[in-house]
Amino acid sequence: MTTVELDAERCYRAVAGRDPRFDGWFVTAVRSTGIYCRPSCPARTPLEHNVTFHRTAAAAQAAGFRACRRCRPDAVPGSPEWDVRADVVARAMRLVADGEVERTGVGGLAARLGYSERQLNRLLTTELGVGPLALARAQRAQTARLLIETTQLSMADVAFAAGFASIRQFNDTVRSVFGTTPSALRPATPRTDGGAPGWLTLRLAARAPFAADEVLLFLGAHAVPGLEEWDGTTFSRVLDLPHGPAVVRLSPGAGASVTARLQLTELRDLGVAVTRCRRLLDLDADPAAVDAVLGADPALADLVAGAPGRRVPTGVDADEVAVRAVLGQQVSVAGARTLTARLLPLAGQPLPEPVGTLTHAFPRAAVLAGADLSDVGLTGARRAAVGTLATALADGTVSLGPGADRDEARRSLLALRGIGPWTAALVAMRGLADPDVWLPGDLALRRSLATLGSSDADAAARWQPWRSYAVMHLWALAVPSLFTRPVDRSPS
């Protein structure tokens, strides 16, 4: 399902088989009912001549269809396509999901991508059937439904928190997208866990198989005091969002899901917070596609069979990942955590009040570039590298946002003194969520390859386009303490 044109015959087979693996890849619009559904909808399979297939919910909505209230196609994992692809449309989709249209409008979105508004509209409409405004509208509708169902906020507060400009626009959109009024979407008892006041509780769905405890353990093992917290079950951290800092607590949910508890400075940051948490946990990955490629290689077959659906935990902000990668060069994980923690009081934005042990957001590049790092404990060369990187991020010489060109980001990072191929590759994998990254010279990977009787050439030849996932399997072999599932140490 990675081609631009949808294969109608293949799509219909997925619908007839109610195959959940394709949820999020496309939606099925049924002419006779005016409703669009996810492929796995339990309703009676519509006749083939009555259906059309759309790549996004926004496209189905623009064609006049409303969301099925039974299968809730707006509440499934997103399409992995936008994480895998690196072209302009995929970069635009990542920026739309991160709230760029709400913050800067279509003009700002186009400028971030280096295109005119007209060119960008043409590109998106040609491939997706709708432009950026329709895509942003669909996302606002999804955020609104989330707030309606999981909070007791007034409908006026929901409307503005979801990004609508007026109550009327909110009402009209909800009726159009869901075929009912906003108040009718609200259950008698909102679906929360009865958490503390001021916290929103959400369920973030993933594609099965998914081991939430393993992803959270990996993140927890790298937790930086003051910025992140790990209690053995729940991973918490501060998010630096457009309208103020937030705190999120992530814990394993029922089935293939994660429970997220969010405390936001402003509710209108909810959509951005959810997008960044999904990226952090790699929830929109396609484990079937990944495991099919990696599991077919005898060198990795046992590792994949022992840990199906293994994810690549990333970061909530690529600038942060880049700075932490430089700090972590040639030091232990514990040493990197200590050095990073020392940056927080120097340049990080403090929370209005500590939340548990959480005290600061990670420093923004512009602030870090002007900070005195002499007391952090860095060598002169490392301190210079951090300063150079922060300055490049602040002035735009290096761009690592959701819409960044991955190849250009790598080239610009390698042009900076103090950043080598391994660091640039780590930023691509864990900052830009590139699924096809190999870490050159990584000692843990070398040990695992030697154990398996494999080589770097195998990564280049047989593990594309999922080399980032191969890295995680090989790290699990070399450093099992960072993972929950057993690893077979014997060669295949």
Side-chain angles (χ1 to χ4, degrees):
M1 285 294 172
T2 57
T3 58
V4 171
E5 295 297 329
L6 289 174
D7 182 331
E9 182 179 350
R10 187 181 180 193
C11 288
Y12 190 76
R13 287 202 304 271
V15 171
R18 296 182 173 86
D19 193 335
R21 292 177 299 172
F22 294 96
D23 288 352
W25 282 104
F26 66 90
V27 296
T28 306
V30 185
R31 297 188 186 93
S32 56
T33 62
I35 290 172
Y36 71 89
C37 302
R38 64 171 85 178
S40 64
C41 182
R44 183 170 64 88
T45 302
L47 298 175
E48 189 170 3
H49 67 266
N50 269 341
V51 301
T52 57
F53 302 104
H54 301 267
R55 295 168 63 77
T56 65
Q61 293 164 19
F65 296 92
R66 66 181 187 274
C68 174
R69 297 185 66 183
R70 183 173 182 181
C71 72
R72 296 190 56 189
D74 58 309
V76 301
S79 172
E81 184 169 11
W82 315 125
D83 292 328
V84 173
R85 286 169 46 180
D87 60 8
V88 174
V89 171
R91 291 162 56 203
M93 289 293 286
R94 291 195 286 270
L95 280 168
V96 170
D98 198 58
E100 189 66 34
V101 174
E102 272 67 30
R103 292 192 295 274
T104 64
V106 175
L109 174 67
R112 289 284 299 273
L113 295 166
Y115 283 75
S116 69
E117 289 186 45
R118 182 177 180 181
Q119 287 175 310
L120 181 60
N121 269 294
R122 184 172 66 249
L123 285 168
L124 292 176
T125 301
T126 297
E127 178 159 346
L128 305 177
V130 291
L133 284 176
L135 293 167
R137 173 179 177 266
Q139 181 162 306
R140 285 195 295 271
Q142 183 175 345
T143 300
R145 182 171 190 165
L146 200 60
L147 288 168
I148 291 169
E149 293 184 340
T150 61
T151 75
Q152 296 188 24
L153 292 171
S154 69
M155 292 301 171
D157 286 342
V158 168
F160 294 115
F164 291 97
S166 68
I167 302 296
R168 179 177 180 179
Q169 184 188 65
F170 164 67
N171 287 329
D172 289 346
T173 298
V174 169
R175 287 194 186 96
S176 173
V177 172
F178 302 114
T180 189
T181 63
S183 58
L185 286 177
R186 174 158 282 171
T189 303
R191 299 168 187 165
T192 68
D193 66 350
W199 291 80
L200 298 175
T201 301
L202 313 173
R203 178 181 178 272
L204 306 180
R207 284 181 177 78
F210 173 66
D213 56 343
E214 181 171 88
V215 178
L216 296 172
L217 170 62
F218 186 91
L219 293 170
H222 295 83
V224 172
L227 174 70
E228 298 163 322
E229 182 181 84
W230 171 243
D231 66 5
T233 301
T234 299
F235 173 75
S236 306
R237 69 156 292 148
V238 182
L239 305 174
D240 185 10
L241 300 179
H243 301 99
V247 171
V248 63
R249 292 173 174 164
L250 301 164
S251 55
S257 72
V258 169
T259 298
R261 297 172 180 84
L262 284 155
Q263 186 181 71
L264 303 168
T265 297
E266 294 196 23
L267 281 171
R268 55 181 166 164
D269 280 336
L270 175 64
V272 177
V274 168
T275 295
R276 294 185 184 179
C277 288
R278 295 193 66 84
R279 186 167 64 236
L280 174 73
L281 303 170
D282 198 16
L283 297 184
D284 295 321
D286 184 351
V290 175
D291 291 356
V293 171
L294 300 185
D297 189 323
L300 295 181
D302 289 344
L303 300 180
V304 174
R310 177 161 276 154
R311 298 307 208 265
V312 180
T314 61
V316 294
D317 179 80
D319 287 7
E320 176 189 321
V321 171
V323 173
R324 290 175 65 167
V326 171
L327 291 172
Q329 290 174 339
Q330 299 177 340
V331 299
S332 66
V333 171
R337 294 171 61 209
T338 298
L339 293 174
T340 306
R342 291 174 183 166
L343 291 183
L344 301 182
L346 292 176
Q349 180 182 0
L351 296 177
E353 294 181 4
V355 178
T357 63
L358 305 178
T359 59
H360 290 77
F362 192 81
R364 293 187 177 182
V367 179
L368 188 58
D372 181 0
L373 306 181
S374 57
D375 293 332
V376 174
L378 301 173
T379 64
R382 188 65 47 83
R383 188 164 61 246
V386 171
T388 299
L389 172 61
T391 299
L393 292 169
D395 66 19
T397 302
V398 174
S399 176
L400 300 178
D405 182 304
R406 289 168 177 163
D407 290 337
E408 177 58 33
R410 178 181 175 84
R411 286 192 294 268
S412 60
L413 283 170
L414 289 173
L416 301 180
R417 187 176 180 86
I419 296 183
W422 183 91
T423 301
L426 185 68
V427 173
M429 185 175 88
R430 300 204 59 217
L432 302 179
D434 187 337
D436 191 32
V437 174
W438 185 251
L439 298 179
D442 187 272
L443 294 179
L445 295 183
R446 286 181 175 178
R447 290 198 300 270
S448 293
L449 289 172
T451 299
L452 298 173
S454 193
S455 68
D456 283 359
D458 292 313
R462 302 206 295 267
W463 300 341
Q464 293 176 318
W466 309 114
R467 287 181 293 177
S468 297
Y469 294 87
V471 166
M472 296 304 295
H473 282 292
L474 295 172
W475 274 352
L477 183 61
V479 194
S481 62
L482 297 181
F483 298 82
T484 60
R485 287 177 285 186
V487 175
D488 182 357
R489 288 183 169 273
S490 61
S492 297

